[in-house]
Amino acid sequence: MSAATADEVILDVRDLKVGFTVRAGRLPAVDGVDLTLRRGETLALVGESGSGKSALAMALVGLNRGPRTEIAGTADFHGENLLTARESRLRRIRGARIAVVFQDALAALNPLQRAGGQVVEMIRTHHQVPRAEAWRQTARLFGDVGIASPERSVRAYPHELSGGMRQRVMIALGLANNPEILIADEPTTALDVTIQAQVLQVLRDLQRDHGTAVILITHDLGVVAGVADRIAVMYAGRVVETGTREQVLFRPRHPYTRGLLASVPSLTGPVTGRLTAIGGSALTGVDRPPGCAFAPRCDLAGAGCSAPVPLLRRGTESGHLDACVAGGQP
Amino acid sequence: MTGTPAFEVSGLRVEYHRGGARVRAVRDVDLEIYQGETLALVGESGCGKSSLGRALLRIEPAASGELRFLGRDIGALRGAQLRRARADMQMIFQDPFSSLNPRRTVASIVDAPLRHSRGLGRRAARERALAMLERVGLGAEAADRKPGEFSGGQRQRIGIARALAPRPRFVVADEPVSALDVSIQAQVVNLLADLAEEEDLTVLFISHDLGVVRHVADRVALMYLGQIIEVAPRDDFFRGPAHPYGEALLSAVPTVTDSPGRERIVLGGDLPDPARPPAGCLFQTRCPHAVGQCRTDPPALREVAPGRTVRCHFPKGFQ
């Protein structure tokens, strides 16, 4: 990375590891991940169940700390390592400078508190603002995220709002203190496509207006294609490929990325009556091979695949990295 | 595409009560499902597609309407007669984590419908169950294990084995791959398509995922607020739905090959409360093309081309 762009990096993650102690042993949920996030960009963390994408994001804001969790590595946020920051310090960062939007708004919102009241509380936890002013800000935010009749909706309880509206409340909650980073964990997965399109539009507009950097965690490559600037593809706790949206989606190198893209049923092109599948299933248990975790499912796997694989730079395109020893070539 | 109807539905209405209000989940549906075809039933959450599928199998009671399966009126069947008829009509559920009894072995889950509905003896039922497990790619060694030992994709294979073991003629698959990862989803969709072909099954494939539907369906039926609003052969539907809701739905699907400038129809508003449906066309509150007539006159489902019906006063391409 050149010196000219280095100052734009607002989050620099190095060799992040998250291990959970489970009955069978130590589960390496995140197994040495490097990531950089620049101001105002959207970085999509793409992966299937158990790939470690949520564990990674939760570790950044200290939401999965505990006696059964081991976290190692660094996550540099303005010179401060988030992974070793004290909980009291994280509480001041979370919700103010780094906010998280969860998938399931119904579970994440307090059912007994008015939707607007939860946003007011979020604002007043971090800023000394008179209550009446916080309610006015909240109504403005509700309008910004496209909630109909915001003055009335702030008084509604979560169950009185539709799924799409609740998800917007979650986004309003995330944006309440104008954070530098918004971590959105499957923000539209529970929504129907027509509502999803509305919510993604809201996210895009807000990002443009506020310059917020977004870490979007999703399994939906269609969503990624619409909003991401850069993409990191995760498999079994590791990033197997990273690059710009165009590099990863249109010139994928890693066999897993290619397989994943091929298995998305397309709305254009020929219909053969069959979908392209990746055989086998993902490694999600405690035992991991020393080499490439995708090798057991990979058509290109050879002897070299059992050696440890670093994230390598290959080819001529800057910033496009992949972790295939064969470089995706048979 | 036409053929011999395996399933004929007319005037089907499903209702439930919510806080004193009567909610119509399925509104006077007329539908034919042809022998050997896969008909996809698509629409967003709350549109009534699951209620319709369950009503066809007599899992959910119908408030009114007629159900004919292979020429026979099954709406009035009771007790043992209904149980026997059910062996010919099976269901594959969405959630492979909650639709299998965690305490039973896989073999006993798969052979239960064989013993109860087909009247097979213990040994014959187990033999058929083992063969079926083999066929769905699990192998006979899966037989004596419990569902908890399997991944989501494997559990859905168990669900398929259970549904198809009695050799049904008709299967309702309700979002059978929605809970699965995309790389696994393809395996299960392909398995289902192969089995449907081998067994000459008639399938009602309920899904909100138009990408999957495009690859498995022969015809598409679109639902909105309890009504069927368009029925079309697969290719015609994906070339361009005649109903404005279908058009918006298709354009809202995010795809990998999207250029950032792809034209999207972003519908305003939410699905109306089914207990208080709007007057006129049920879609008029969100329709970008609605005019005066749409706010007062409910459109009928009418044929606009052979094999193609639509419920709209101004169907796209047929005016």
Side-chain angles (χ1 to χ4, degrees), chain B residues 21-193:
Chain B
R22 194 175 57 178
V23 181
R24 209 159 272 178
V26 176
R27 297 167 188 270
D28 306 311
V29 161
D30 299 325
L31 189 65
E32 288 186 337
I33 309 171
Y34 302 126
Q35 176 61 47
E37 78 165 341
T38 294
L39 174 67
L41 188 58
V42 304
E44 298 182 287
S45 2
C47 72
K49 56 193 192 298
S50 287
S51 287
L52 174 54
R54 295 166 69 89
L56 297 194
L57 298 188
R58 300 273 323 270
I59 296 171
E60 202 157 319
S64 61
E66 197 180 66
L67 301 174
R68 296 190 80 81
F69 175 50
L70 301 174
R72 178 183 183 204
D73 182 355
I74 59 159
L77 295 183
R78 298 277 178 273
Q81 275 187 318
L82 178 59
R83 207 164 59 233
R84 272 197 299 277
R86 277 212 174 117
D88 287 326
M89 321 183 290
Q90 291 286 325
M91 181 136 182
I92 297 167
F93 296 92
Q94 169 175 3
D95 185 356
F97 295 92
S98 66
S99 59
L100 302 173
N101 186 335
R103 296 204 175 84
R104 304 260 303 273
T105 65
V106 168
S108 79
I109 287 170
V110 175
D111 78 14
L114 294 168
R115 291 190 288 122
H116 300 142
S117 306
R118 286 288 190 229
L120 259 61
R122 200 169 274 280
R123 182 174 298 172
R126 185 174 164 93
E127 248 168 53
R128 168 84 184 129
L130 294 186
M132 203 60 220
L133 287 171
E134 199 76 60
R135 178 62 194 89
V136 299
L138 286 176
E141 68 273 13
D144 296 314
R145 293 158 66 190
K146 301 208 167 131
E149 299 174 52
F150 296 88
S151 68
Q154 289 170 323
R155 286 187 220 202
Q156 200 53 298
R157 289 172 193 266
I158 298 169
I160 291 172
R162 171 180 62 182
L164 299 192
R167 295 195 189 282
R169 305 308 318 138
F170 175 59
V171 169
V172 173
D174 189 359
E175 301 274 10
V177 296
S178 312
L180 306 179
D181 278 321
V182 62
S183 72
I184 303 299
Q185 166 180 300
Q187 300 173 6
V188 174
V189 166
N190 290 341
L191 171 67
L192 204 53

Side-chain angles (χ1 to χ4, degrees), chain A residues 65 80-90 93:
Chain A
R65 289 180 177 183
E80 187 171 6
N81 183 3
L82 295 172
L83 304 181
T84 53
R86 300 163 84 100
E87 178 56 28
S88 58
R89 174 73 189 137
L90 279 181
I93 294 176

Side-chain angles (χ1 to χ4, degrees), chain B residues 152-235:
Chain B
Q154 289 170 323
R155 286 187 220 202
Q156 200 53 298
R157 289 172 193 266
I158 298 169
I160 291 172
R162 171 180 62 182
L164 299 192
R167 295 195 189 282
R169 305 308 318 138
F170 175 59
V171 169
V172 173
D174 189 359
E175 301 274 10
V177 296
S178 312
L180 306 179
D181 278 321
V182 62
S183 72
I184 303 299
Q185 166 180 300
Q187 300 173 6
V188 174
V189 166
N190 290 341
L191 171 67
L192 204 53
D194 289 346
L195 286 166
E197 168 114 33
E198 282 167 30
E199 305 275 330
D200 191 29
L201 269 177
T202 305
V203 180
L204 183 68
F205 191 93
I206 300 175
S207 180
H208 71 282
D209 187 332
L210 291 174
V212 171
V213 163
R214 177 165 177 266
H215 290 266
V216 303
D218 298 304
R219 289 191 307 145
V220 178
L222 176 63
M223 277 186 94
Y224 187 80
L225 222 59
Q227 283 182 335
I228 300 266
I229 58 172
E230 179 164 359
V231 180
R234 188 255 326 270
D235 290 342

